[in-house]
Amino acid sequence: QEYTAIKIKVLEWTEEGKKTLEGKLPEGAEVHLVAATLRPETMYGQTCCFVGPKISYGVYQVSPTEFYVCTERAARNMAFQGIFPERGVYKSVATVLGSALVGSLVYAPLSVHTVGVRVLPMETVLATKGTGVVTSVPSDSPDDYATVTDLAKKADYYGIKKEWAELEIVPIINTPSYGNLTAEFLVKKLKINSPKDAKPLAEAKELAYKEGFYQGTMLIGEFKGEKVEAAKPKVREILLKKKEAFVYSEPEGHVLSRSG
Ligand code: ZZB
């Protein structure tokens, strides 16, 4: 599986995050959460960045001043893909629990929310897939739509500010079958009530992927008006060129198949 790894820069740490990292980063260090995505063309619609609250993340040095936050498993893979300075080496300078990152302000590249978005908890993030960090696009990802809806409903329970989960969901892609907010349409159509409704969510995801890719048209960005199929590699290229993303591959056998 080849992902686009999106670099989501930390603008402001939580108190807990600050404490965990105290004295462990050089002056002027830039830290990025790294989110693995299959849909770079949807990055305009990012409204938050998900971490698994119980997942342990490492902070890995990629240059004298740059660090990546991801699971150790992902860092190990990256170390054999030329992403770190020395082949096979992926030592973390700090370990941080996802819950300690929740509430941090981060910059999501290409997002319409240019002042930043928040790190929020997603209990269904798999530590065994991608980087363990998931960028949230509730316009086009049913899982993300179900999760942000739930987070806003139970903000106190999750220990977050309601408004962090309520950033505007802007239409990114129009499709003939599901309109311009595919995820909301499918979540409602399949009567999905919770981010834990795994089966209908898997079905919604499959439908959203197919319709978005083969029938979708871009409503925003440099390739507005173009078919998603054509725009996807071009948006990806922009992100790679600007060094806001890199290619991250998941070795075969570690991948959980998309259709289960
Ligand atoms: C942004 C995005 C926008 C995504 C969208 C999907 C969609 P797959 O299809 O199962 O291979 N993801 C990545 N890593 C994880 C993880 N560790 N745990 C849970 N979810 C994860 O999964 C690839 C997609 O699942 C990724 O692409 C990411 O969400 C999420 F509009 O990134 B995506 C219809 C889907 N639309």
Side-chain angles (χ1 to χ4, degrees):
Q1 187 75 281
E2 190 177 283
Y3 292 101
T4 304
I6 307 291
K7 290 160 65 176
I8 300 177
K9 186 179 167 178
V10 179
L11 302 175
E12 210 181 281
W13 295 97
T14 55
E15 280 310 310
E16 214 181 327
K18 252 184 234 158
K19 253 184 247 155
T20 312
L21 293 170
E22 189 141 47
K24 292 179 178 161
L25 296 174
E27 192 73 38
E30 240 184 49
V31 184
H32 293 96
L33 304 194
V34 178
T37 184
L38 295 176
R39 311 255 345 239
E41 79 281 10
T42 67
M43 293 300 102
Y44 303 101
Q46 294 172 89
T47 65
C48 59
C49 175
F50 292 131
V51 294
K54 296 182 191 114
I55 294 176
S56 174
Y57 297 89
V59 182
Y60 299 92
Q61 186 155 22
V62 284
S63 82
T65 55
E66 209 188 348
F67 296 79
Y68 289 167
V69 177
C70 61
T71 57
E72 182 179 357
R73 192 191 137 276
R76 185 187 312 124
N77 289 334
M78 286 177 195
F80 292 97
Q81 295 173 31
I83 291 159
F84 294 141
E86 205 182 326
R87 184 171 172 84
V89 180
Y90 55 99
K91 223 175 134 266
S92 70
V93 299
T95 303
V96 56
L97 206 54
S99 58
L101 297 171
V102 168
S104 306
L105 185 69
V106 295
Y107 178 78
L110 291 187
S111 172
V112 295
H113 299 289
T114 53
V115 298
V117 301
R118 294 289 167 172
V119 176
L120 295 176
M122 185 193 223
E123 295 185 357
T124 54
V125 172
L126 298 168
T128 51
K129 187 168 107 174
T131 56
V133 177
V134 179
T135 194
S136 172
V137 184
S139 53
D140 291 275
S141 165
D143 287 286
D144 298 353
Y145 183 81
T147 301
V148 294
T149 307
D150 189 57
L151 288 170
K153 238 191 281 174
K154 303 184 206 152
D156 287 342
Y157 169 80
Y158 288 111
I160 60 161
K161 289 195 180 142
K162 190 168 191 269
E163 62 264 29
W164 293 349
E166 287 183 325
L167 265 62
E168 191 187 350
I169 301 174
V170 173
I172 305 301
I173 289 167
N174 186 55
T175 71
S177 309
Y178 311 136
N180 63 17
L181 291 172
T182 287
E184 179 182 27
F185 181 94
L186 285 169
V187 163
K188 289 185 173 155
K189 182 173 176 213
L190 301 183
K191 301 189 165 55
I192 294 164
N193 295 312
S194 146
K196 288 179 180 154
D197 288 348
K199 243 187 123 198
L201 275 170
E203 189 189 340
K205 180 161 150 176
E206 208 52 46
L207 292 170
Y209 267 131
K210 284 215 184 89
E211 180 77 5
F213 185 71
Y214 294 108
Q215 311 289 345
T217 306
M218 298 299 296
L219 294 171
I220 194 169
E222 267 121 318
F223 310 109
K224 185 172 164 173
E226 292 189 30
K227 298 299 295 278
V228 166
E229 222 174 326
K232 189 193 200 71
K234 294 196 254 184
V235 176
R236 186 182 201 226
E237 210 43 50
I238 287 179
L239 288 161
L240 295 176
K241 265 222 186 80
K242 287 202 289 183
K243 306 268 183 243
E244 291 183 321
F246 57 90
V247 176
Y248 168 66
S249 303
E250 199 101 282
E252 295 299 323
H254 292 253
V255 190
L256 298 171
S257 109
R258 204 157 80 196
S259 42

